[in-house]
PDB file of all heavy atoms in Angstrom:
ATOM      1  N   LYS A 251      17.124 -18.815   5.299  1.00  0.00           N
ATOM      2  CA  LYS A 251      16.757 -18.003   4.178  1.00  0.00           C
ATOM      3  C   LYS A 251      17.935 -17.136   3.684  1.00  0.00           C
ATOM      4  O   LYS A 251      17.727 -16.291   2.864  1.00  0.00           O
ATOM      5  CB  LYS A 251      15.601 -17.050   4.531  1.00  0.00           C
ATOM      6  CG  LYS A 251      14.327 -17.830   4.783  1.00  0.00           C
ATOM      7  CD  LYS A 251      13.072 -16.909   4.732  1.00  0.00           C
ATOM      8  CE  LYS A 251      11.790 -17.756   4.903  1.00  0.00           C
ATOM      9  NZ  LYS A 251      10.532 -16.905   4.913  1.00  0.00           N
ATOM     10  N   LEU A 264      31.239 -25.739  -7.817  1.00  0.00           N
ATOM     11  CA  LEU A 264      30.904 -25.432  -6.338  1.00  0.00           C
ATOM     12  C   LEU A 264      30.353 -26.741  -5.759  1.00  0.00           C
ATOM     13  O   LEU A 264      29.253 -27.201  -6.132  1.00  0.00           O
ATOM     14  CB  LEU A 264      29.877 -24.377  -6.340  1.00  0.00           C
ATOM     15  CG  LEU A 264      30.183 -23.154  -7.029  1.00  0.00           C
ATOM     16  CD1 LEU A 264      28.956 -22.226  -7.151  1.00  0.00           C
ATOM     17  CD2 LEU A 264      31.408 -22.330  -6.430  1.00  0.00           C
ATOM     18  N   ASN A 265      31.082 -27.390  -4.828  1.00  0.00           N
ATOM     19  CA  ASN A 265      30.680 -28.658  -4.327  1.00  0.00           C
ATOM     20  C   ASN A 265      29.715 -28.420  -3.081  1.00  0.00           C
ATOM     21  O   ASN A 265      30.130 -28.599  -2.024  1.00  0.00           O
ATOM     22  CB  ASN A 265      31.810 -29.485  -3.880  1.00  0.00           C
ATOM     23  CG  ASN A 265      32.562 -30.007  -5.085  1.00  0.00           C
ATOM     24  OD1 ASN A 265      31.941 -30.599  -5.950  1.00  0.00           O
ATOM     25  ND2 ASN A 265      33.850 -29.824  -5.228  1.00  0.00           N
ATOM     26  N   ILE A 266      28.473 -28.080  -3.441  1.00  0.00           N
ATOM     27  CA  ILE A 266      27.472 -27.673  -2.419  1.00  0.00           C
ATOM     28  C   ILE A 266      26.808 -28.939  -1.890  1.00  0.00           C
ATOM     29  O   ILE A 266      26.229 -29.758  -2.679  1.00  0.00           O
ATOM     30  CB  ILE A 266      26.632 -26.669  -2.929  1.00  0.00           C
ATOM     31  CG1 ILE A 266      27.301 -25.462  -3.537  1.00  0.00           C
ATOM     32  CG2 ILE A 266      25.564 -26.238  -1.985  1.00  0.00           C
ATOM     33  CD1 ILE A 266      27.910 -24.583  -2.559  1.00  0.00           C
ATOM     34  N   ILE A 272      18.838 -27.241   2.205  1.00  0.00           N
ATOM     35  CA  ILE A 272      17.388 -27.652   2.575  1.00  0.00           C
ATOM     36  C   ILE A 272      17.098 -27.350   4.098  1.00  0.00           C
ATOM     37  O   ILE A 272      15.997 -26.895   4.412  1.00  0.00           O
ATOM     38  CB  ILE A 272      17.266 -29.147   2.329  1.00  0.00           C
ATOM     39  CG1 ILE A 272      17.257 -29.465   0.799  1.00  0.00           C
ATOM     40  CG2 ILE A 272      15.982 -29.704   3.017  1.00  0.00           C
ATOM     41  CD1 ILE A 272      17.273 -30.878   0.350  1.00  0.00           C
ATOM     42  N   GLN A 275      16.496 -23.438   4.269  1.00  0.00           N
ATOM     43  CA  GLN A 275      16.016 -22.713   3.145  1.00  0.00           C
ATOM     44  C   GLN A 275      16.987 -21.675   2.609  1.00  0.00           C
ATOM     45  O   GLN A 275      16.718 -20.525   2.436  1.00  0.00           O
ATOM     46  CB  GLN A 275      14.646 -22.019   3.464  1.00  0.00           C
ATOM     47  CG  GLN A 275      13.844 -21.715   2.252  1.00  0.00           C
ATOM     48  CD  GLN A 275      12.606 -20.925   2.498  1.00  0.00           C
ATOM     49  OE1 GLN A 275      11.898 -21.165   3.423  1.00  0.00           O
ATOM     50  NE2 GLN A 275      12.371 -19.844   1.638  1.00  0.00           N
ATOM     51  N   ILE A 278      22.119 -20.469  -2.967  1.00  0.00           N
ATOM     52  CA  ILE A 278      23.349 -19.894  -3.621  1.00  0.00           C
ATOM     53  C   ILE A 278      23.013 -19.350  -4.940  1.00  0.00           C
ATOM     54  O   ILE A 278      22.043 -19.962  -5.625  1.00  0.00           O
ATOM     55  CB  ILE A 278      24.486 -20.925  -3.661  1.00  0.00           C
ATOM     56  CG1 ILE A 278      24.274 -21.997  -4.723  1.00  0.00           C
ATOM     57  CG2 ILE A 278      24.798 -21.556  -2.344  1.00  0.00           C
ATOM     58  CD1 ILE A 278      25.536 -22.786  -5.059  1.00  0.00           C
ATOM     59  N   GLY A 280      24.285 -16.252  -8.295  1.00  0.00           N
ATOM     60  CA  GLY A 280      25.315 -15.426  -8.913  1.00  0.00           C
ATOM     61  C   GLY A 280      24.647 -14.407  -9.760  1.00  0.00           C
ATOM     62  O   GLY A 280      23.487 -14.545 -10.163  1.00  0.00           O
ATOM     63  N   PRO A 282      25.838 -11.177 -12.936  1.00  0.00           N
ATOM     64  CA  PRO A 282      26.870 -10.363 -13.693  1.00  0.00           C
ATOM     65  C   PRO A 282      26.764  -8.947 -13.312  1.00  0.00           C
ATOM     66  O   PRO A 282      26.385  -8.635 -12.162  1.00  0.00           O
ATOM     67  CB  PRO A 282      26.479 -10.696 -15.160  1.00  0.00           C
ATOM     68  CG  PRO A 282      24.956 -10.721 -15.082  1.00  0.00           C
ATOM     69  CD  PRO A 282      24.616 -11.314 -13.672  1.00  0.00           C
TER      70      PRO A 282
ATOM     71  N   ASP B 102       8.258 -18.492  10.586  1.00  0.00           N
ATOM     72  CA  ASP B 102       9.019 -19.554   9.861  1.00  0.00           C
ATOM     73  C   ASP B 102       9.311 -20.619  10.868  1.00  0.00           C
ATOM     74  O   ASP B 102      10.547 -21.061  10.970  1.00  0.00           O
ATOM     75  CB  ASP B 102      10.226 -18.984   9.188  1.00  0.00           C
ATOM     76  CG  ASP B 102       9.928 -18.052   8.089  1.00  0.00           C
ATOM     77  OD1 ASP B 102       8.913 -18.254   7.308  1.00  0.00           O
ATOM     78  OD2 ASP B 102      10.758 -17.049   7.887  1.00  0.00           O
ATOM     79  N   LYS B 251      17.144 -15.291 -13.730  1.00  0.00           N
ATOM     80  CA  LYS B 251      16.534 -15.097 -12.452  1.00  0.00           C
ATOM     81  C   LYS B 251      15.786 -16.392 -11.937  1.00  0.00           C
ATOM     82  O   LYS B 251      15.061 -16.373 -11.012  1.00  0.00           O
ATOM     83  CB  LYS B 251      15.559 -13.912 -12.275  1.00  0.00           C
ATOM     84  CG  LYS B 251      16.287 -12.694 -12.546  1.00  0.00           C
ATOM     85  CD  LYS B 251      15.351 -11.467 -12.115  1.00  0.00           C
ATOM     86  CE  LYS B 251      16.105 -10.134 -12.228  1.00  0.00           C
ATOM     87  NZ  LYS B 251      15.271  -9.047 -11.734  1.00  0.00           N
ATOM     88  N   LEU B 264      26.375 -31.239  -4.953  1.00  0.00           N
ATOM     89  CA  LEU B 264      25.855 -30.691  -6.154  1.00  0.00           C
ATOM     90  C   LEU B 264      27.016 -29.943  -6.840  1.00  0.00           C
ATOM     91  O   LEU B 264      27.516 -28.856  -6.370  1.00  0.00           O
ATOM     92  CB  LEU B 264      24.731 -29.607  -5.892  1.00  0.00           C
ATOM     93  CG  LEU B 264      23.669 -30.068  -4.951  1.00  0.00           C
ATOM     94  CD1 LEU B 264      22.812 -28.941  -4.488  1.00  0.00           C
ATOM     95  CD2 LEU B 264      22.821 -31.203  -5.616  1.00  0.00           C
ATOM     96  N   ASN B 265      27.549 -30.449  -7.927  1.00  0.00           N
ATOM     97  CA  ASN B 265      28.656 -29.857  -8.644  1.00  0.00           C
ATOM     98  C   ASN B 265      28.271 -28.830  -9.617  1.00  0.00           C
ATOM     99  O   ASN B 265      28.032 -29.012 -10.838  1.00  0.00           O
ATOM    100  CB  ASN B 265      29.387 -31.010  -9.412  1.00  0.00           C
ATOM    101  CG  ASN B 265      30.124 -31.866  -8.431  1.00  0.00           C
ATOM    102  OD1 ASN B 265      30.821 -31.473  -7.570  1.00  0.00           O
ATOM    103  ND2 ASN B 265      29.938 -33.207  -8.645  1.00  0.00           N
ATOM    104  N   ILE B 266      27.924 -27.605  -8.992  1.00  0.00           N
ATOM    105  CA  ILE B 266      27.383 -26.535  -9.737  1.00  0.00           C
ATOM    106  C   ILE B 266      28.406 -25.629 -10.363  1.00  0.00           C
ATOM    107  O   ILE B 266      29.370 -25.293  -9.700  1.00  0.00           O
ATOM    108  CB  ILE B 266      26.434 -25.742  -8.837  1.00  0.00           C
ATOM    109  CG1 ILE B 266      25.345 -26.574  -8.140  1.00  0.00           C
ATOM    110  CG2 ILE B 266      25.848 -24.548  -9.571  1.00  0.00           C
ATOM    111  CD1 ILE B 266      24.329 -27.100  -9.118  1.00  0.00           C
ATOM    112  N   ILE B 272      25.975 -17.152 -12.599  1.00  0.00           N
ATOM    113  CA  ILE B 272      26.353 -15.718 -12.730  1.00  0.00           C
ATOM    114  C   ILE B 272      25.786 -15.141 -13.981  1.00  0.00           C
ATOM    115  O   ILE B 272      25.223 -14.049 -14.054  1.00  0.00           O
ATOM    116  CB  ILE B 272      27.901 -15.515 -12.713  1.00  0.00           C
ATOM    117  CG1 ILE B 272      28.423 -15.764 -11.323  1.00  0.00           C
ATOM    118  CG2 ILE B 272      28.362 -14.123 -13.221  1.00  0.00           C
ATOM    119  CD1 ILE B 272      29.990 -15.782 -11.166  1.00  0.00           C
ATOM    120  N   GLN B 275      21.903 -14.664 -13.507  1.00  0.00           N
ATOM    121  CA  GLN B 275      21.378 -14.374 -12.142  1.00  0.00           C
ATOM    122  C   GLN B 275      20.430 -15.536 -11.609  1.00  0.00           C
ATOM    123  O   GLN B 275      19.351 -15.270 -11.161  1.00  0.00           O
ATOM    124  CB  GLN B 275      20.608 -13.055 -12.059  1.00  0.00           C
ATOM    125  CG  GLN B 275      20.477 -12.535 -10.609  1.00  0.00           C
ATOM    126  CD  GLN B 275      19.711 -11.353 -10.516  1.00  0.00           C
ATOM    127  OE1 GLN B 275      19.770 -10.462 -11.396  1.00  0.00           O
ATOM    128  NE2 GLN B 275      18.869 -11.187  -9.458  1.00  0.00           N
ATOM    129  N   ILE B 278      20.278 -21.579  -6.891  1.00  0.00           N
ATOM    130  CA  ILE B 278      19.856 -22.941  -6.380  1.00  0.00           C
ATOM    131  C   ILE B 278      19.615 -22.855  -4.973  1.00  0.00           C
ATOM    132  O   ILE B 278      20.264 -22.046  -4.181  1.00  0.00           O
ATOM    133  CB  ILE B 278      20.872 -24.137  -6.824  1.00  0.00           C
ATOM    134  CG1 ILE B 278      22.159 -23.924  -5.913  1.00  0.00           C
ATOM    135  CG2 ILE B 278      21.294 -24.075  -8.210  1.00  0.00           C
ATOM    136  CD1 ILE B 278      23.002 -25.177  -6.015  1.00  0.00           C
ATOM    137  N   GLY B 280      17.105 -24.805  -1.401  1.00  0.00           N
ATOM    138  CA  GLY B 280      16.470 -25.937  -0.842  1.00  0.00           C
ATOM    139  C   GLY B 280      15.541 -25.569   0.307  1.00  0.00           C
ATOM    140  O   GLY B 280      15.719 -24.457   0.860  1.00  0.00           O
ATOM    141  N   PRO B 282      12.946 -27.459   3.746  1.00  0.00           N
ATOM    142  CA  PRO B 282      12.408 -28.581   4.391  1.00  0.00           C
ATOM    143  C   PRO B 282      10.918 -28.476   4.237  1.00  0.00           C
ATOM    144  O   PRO B 282      10.413 -27.913   3.318  1.00  0.00           O
ATOM    145  CB  PRO B 282      12.897 -28.341   5.873  1.00  0.00           C
ATOM    146  CG  PRO B 282      12.928 -26.941   5.975  1.00  0.00           C
ATOM    147  CD  PRO B 282      13.217 -26.313   4.619  1.00  0.00           C
TER     148      PRO B 282
END
Side-chain angles (χ1 to χ4, degrees):
Chain A
K251 297 193 173 180
L264 310 167
N265 289 308
I266 302 289
I272 291 174
Q275 201 187 318
I278 72 168
Chain B
D102 292 325
K251 297 194 174 179
L264 311 167
N265 290 310
I266 303 290
I272 291 173
Q275 200 187 319
I278 72 166

